[in-house]
Amino acid sequence: MLGLMQDRPLLITTIMEYAALYHSDCEVVTNAVEGGIHRITYGEVAKRSAALAHALTRLGISQGDCVSTMAWNSHRHLELYLAVPCMGSILNTVNPRLFPEQIIYILEHSEAKVLFVDITFVPQIEELAYKISAVEKIVIMTDRDHMPETSLDNVLCYEDLIATEGDQFDWPELDENTAAGLCYTSGTTGDPKGALYSHRSTVLHCYGSCSKDSLGVSKADVLFPIVPMFHVNAWGTPYHAVMTGSKLVLPGADMTGENFYNMIKDEGCTIALGVPTIWLALLQYVETLDTQDFTKLPIENFIIGGSAAAASLIENLEKTFGATVVHAWGMTETSPLGSVNRPMAKNAHLSDAEKMAIKVKQGRPPFGVEMKIVDDDGGELPRNGIAFGRLMVKGPWVAKAYFKQPDLNILDDEGYFDTGDVSTLDPDGYMTIVDRSKDVIKSGGEWISSIELENVALGQPDVAEAAVIGIAHPKWQERPLLIIVSKSGTAPTRKDILDFLDGKIAKWWTPDDVVFIEEMPHTATGKTQKRDLRDMFKDYSFPE
Ligand code: ADP
């Protein structure tokens, strides 16, 4: 027998319409790409999204068509996040930090008919345009006064495009499984692969993300996603903000610690989200200020994901700002929220050091994400916090296939997706990432976690960034090499670093050497680019 409750589809449209009704005066504040602080309300955003949908229809965009963006976090990007999926089309956000060949691949593969770009990315698109065949129109996301000179054909101005359109749109009642968003993984191996989100997966991800044990976003919050809208939907935050009616603060193109600090201070941000390098930039900036008490700032939560948050970073942020750091894990294929580290009442009595040992874990899966760890034969491993294996996930916001790759089976027999991460799961359900499976160091038949070594090394006061890679070894197969970028004005030695590690890690994990470099290579999404490090040290051999 079926239940007798209403079968309302889970649509992004309902999030937008709810916001227009209940959060219409709530602000979206952007540090505009053109300069200056721009303010608008959700009510106006909803009207402009309707105008945008009319304009896109006029340009020939219909249901199932793809619209791509290459843009910073801004109110115009938010309008695209709403208008495109709500009209039944697909929003494909492209990461401008990818290699040109990857950007071309994505724009060809998604068959985007219209590409929206910020003025900052116009030169980049000018270089590639002749190789992108599907794109018919390029819309520059600015007003007439700021339109740049360009060699591009078929260019339109965003504000002109929507200026004469009506502010109401007859949004279609879509099937909730209709595709809504398309994000590509950075494709560190092979071509980028597209995760195709649906309205249903996006709405469920929103519910799963906003609860108190998750990111805990509410109407009382001021949300500051520094994580870019061109990578995994800025962790879903544009939709979280619109759904809950939290004020939304967007950093624009200015990725400096100074901008992050000013936006937090001036706009009263309570939750800020970003990868570890963002917080290093913020901490470095505030060190330069005369005032040193930042605990009065309204910031309550720093949400860190994308790479492991080391204990030293968590401690430093919490102490400096009197805020709580929340460590989270996820990936493009999981929309991205996979786990969040929130405390449990039963651990309230623990010492600070014991609490930190839990805080550095990547967290527990929210309801909606199922997790298991398996060995190389797919056999499930115990949840004892010690055994580690391939992390497998399933749930309504986890990918079941890649876009236009119907023959590639990415699930195991039980429907779990292989994340490519190696993890432990403890009896309380906290997951710890040991490594990316391709980064673990295999030494004498045992594994060494590069992430754990890096986290300990980051605690050395002179270390700004640390990375560990495996170097071939005649006896042990591989041994760890620790690569350090030291903080400016410091010059730690190999011995300083090794002395610091002594006693904090198992003896046999001790790196066989420590080397110093000027700058750490990063991926398009802010992670340490280990492939480049392996290239850089391919001829390296350990000292005798
Ligand atoms: P890309 O691979 O395109 O950079 P993703 O965001 O999909 O982008 O990357 C996901 C991967 O990032 C995860 O599989 C994991 O290896 C890593 N990651 C994400 N969050 C964390 C975290 N908190 N700790 C350690 N690694 C993380």
Side-chain angles (χ1 to χ4, degrees):
M1 187 187 290
L2 296 178
L4 290 174
M5 306 311 279
Q6 297 183 9
D7 194 10
R8 296 282 290 138
L10 301 175
L11 297 177
I12 295 170
T13 324
T14 57
I15 296 182
M16 177 177 62
E17 286 174 336
Y18 180 78
L21 194 57
Y22 290 101
H23 315 310
S24 68
D25 60 353
C26 186
E27 263 189 322
V28 179
V29 182
T30 306
N31 185 0
V33 178
E34 301 93 341
I37 298 293
H38 178 277
R39 290 174 196 280
I40 193 169
T41 63
Y42 284 139
E44 290 162 319
V45 164
K47 287 182 179 166
R48 283 166 55 89
S49 301
L52 180 58
H54 283 297
L56 286 168
T57 310
R58 176 161 50 85
L59 292 183
I61 296 296
S62 49
Q63 293 192 13
D65 284 342
C66 190
V67 172
S68 293
T69 62
M70 198 193 273
W72 298 104
N73 296 11
S74 74
H75 72 285
R76 293 192 186 102
H77 210 173
L78 178 65
E79 289 157 9
L80 282 151
Y81 262 65
L82 297 173
V84 174
C86 294
M87 59 189 286
S89 311
I90 303 163
L91 184 76
N92 165 228
T93 50
V94 182
N95 186 338
R97 297 183 186 137
L98 294 172
F99 294 119
E101 312 81 72
Q102 294 174 316
I103 294 175
I104 293 165
Y105 176 87
I106 291 171
L107 290 171
E108 291 287 290
H109 193 256
S110 70
E111 295 177 54
K113 287 191 177 165
V114 181
L115 169 65
F116 285 75
V117 288
D118 267 327
I119 46 179
T120 19
F121 301 125
V122 170
Q124 210 172 327
I125 294 298
E126 282 171 348
E127 304 245 310
L128 309 178
Y130 67 100
K131 291 195 177 151
I132 307 167
S133 54
V135 173
E136 293 164 9
K137 291 269 187 283
I138 295 175
V139 183
I140 303 185
M141 295 165 70
T142 191
D143 56 20
R144 180 58 41 201
D145 290 347
H146 294 91
M147 277 297 277
E149 289 279 321
T150 175
S151 60
L152 291 169
D153 294 333
N154 300 325
V155 164
L156 299 168
C157 163
Y158 187 100
E159 292 301 328
D160 288 356
L161 183 70
I162 65 168
T164 53
E165 300 292 353
D167 63 8
Q168 300 295 317
F169 190 84
D170 192 11
W171 302 107
E173 176 129 335
L174 303 164
D175 180 314
E176 64 178 13
N177 287 304
T178 306
L182 175 62
C183 292
Y184 285 78
T185 63
S186 2
T188 37
T189 48
D191 288 326
K193 298 189 278 296
L196 186 61
Y197 313 120
S198 66
H199 281 258
R200 175 186 154 82
S201 73
T202 307
V203 173
L204 290 173
H205 179 256
C206 240
Y207 280 123
S209 304
C210 291
S211 73
K212 197 169 169 189
D213 275 324
S214 250
L215 307 185
V217 185
S218 81
K219 185 130 183 77
D221 283 305
V222 178
L223 197 63
F224 186 28
I226 301 177
V227 49
M229 286 165 81
F230 55 68
H231 181 230
V232 208
N233 290 342
W235 299 349
T237 47
Y239 297 125
H240 307 159
V242 176
M243 183 176 89
T244 60
S246 61
K247 172 176 161 183
L248 185 60
V249 179
L250 302 169
D254 186 352
M255 288 289 114
T256 59
E258 181 176 7
N259 183 32
F260 306 152
Y261 172 75
N262 288 335
M263 296 298 270
I264 290 174
K265 175 169 68 66
D266 298 345
E267 300 302 329
C269 302
T270 59
I271 304 179
L273 307 93
V275 297
T277 47
I278 292 295
W279 309 122
L280 294 176
L282 175 66
L283 286 165
Q284 275 164 15
Y285 175 71
V286 299
E287 267 178 33
T288 66
L289 297 177
D290 292 338
T291 349
Q292 282 301 317
D293 183 8
F294 305 105
T295 57
K296 301 281 182 307
L297 289 175
I299 190 79
E300 290 165 11
N301 283 158
F302 289 102
I303 299 183
I304 308 187
S307 295
S312 54
L313 176 64
I314 299 178
E315 247 161 35
N316 204 346
L317 275 173
E318 293 196 334
K319 209 166 79 216
T320 308
F321 294 96
T324 301
V325 168
V326 179
H327 194 186
W329 166 89
M331 59 196 311
T332 306
E333 291 90 333
T334 63
S335 293
L337 193 78
S339 68
V340 189
N341 193 318
R342 289 286 185 179
M344 292 175 148
K346 71 170 190 180
N347 292 332
H349 67 284
L350 296 181
S351 69
D352 285 352
E354 287 166 325
K355 283 184 185 158
M356 184 56 78
I358 298 174
K359 276 192 135 175
V360 291
K361 298 181 180 214
Q362 276 72 9
R364 307 170 77 238
F367 172 71
V369 176
E370 294 164 66
M371 268 183 188
K372 66 175 180 181
I373 48 171
V374 299
D375 59 24
D376 283 341
D377 301 322
E380 192 164 345
L381 293 164
R383 295 164 189 258
N384 58 12
I386 298 163
F388 53 86
R390 281 165 31 215
L391 176 65
M392 312 289 289
V393 291
K394 80 173 171 186
W397 59 82
V398 177
K400 64 177 176 190
Y402 289 114
F403 182 51
K404 291 204 224 162
Q405 298 201 25
D407 300 332
L408 180 66
N409 178 21
I410 59 169
L411 307 182
D412 74 2
D413 293 346
E414 293 176 340
Y416 283 84
F417 168 77
D418 188 340
T419 63
D421 286 326
V422 175
S423 313
T424 62
L425 291 174
D426 75 14
D428 283 333
Y430 285 96
M431 182 272 286
T432 303
I433 301 272
V434 172
D435 244 320
R436 203 70 198 141
S437 59
K438 59 185 186 306
D439 294 336
V440 280
I441 296 157
K442 295 160 200 98
S443 175
E446 301 279 349
W447 283 8
I448 296 177
S449 159
S450 65
I451 293 188
E452 204 172 321
L453 271 181
E454 287 155 10
N455 286 350
V456 178
L458 281 167
Q460 208 279 354
D462 296 339
V463 173
E465 288 183 81
V468 175
I469 57 169
I471 296 281
H473 189 282
K475 178 162 175 207
W476 300 111
Q477 184 184 0
E478 270 184 340
R479 289 294 303 160
L481 171 70
L482 174 55
I483 302 161
I484 300 277
V485 175
S486 29
K487 286 190 183 153
S488 68
T490 69
T493 62
R494 175 181 192 274
K495 182 170 181 309
D496 294 337
I497 306 290
L498 291 177
D499 286 351
F500 178 81
L501 296 181
D502 192 24
K504 298 186 179 72
I505 51 168
K507 261 262 171 302
W508 68 276
W509 279 33
T510 306
D512 285 32
D513 199 6
V514 181
V515 293
F516 297 85
I517 58 173
E518 287 295 312
E519 202 184 329
M520 196 60 85
H522 290 117
T523 67
T525 55
K527 303 180 211 304
T528 302
Q529 180 56 278
K530 295 213 170 163
R531 195 183 45 190
D532 286 1
L533 289 176
R534 284 189 202 102
D535 270 359
M536 218 186 276
F537 290 94
K538 67 177 186 306
D539 298 325
Y540 173 91
S541 53
F542 288 118
E544 289 299 313

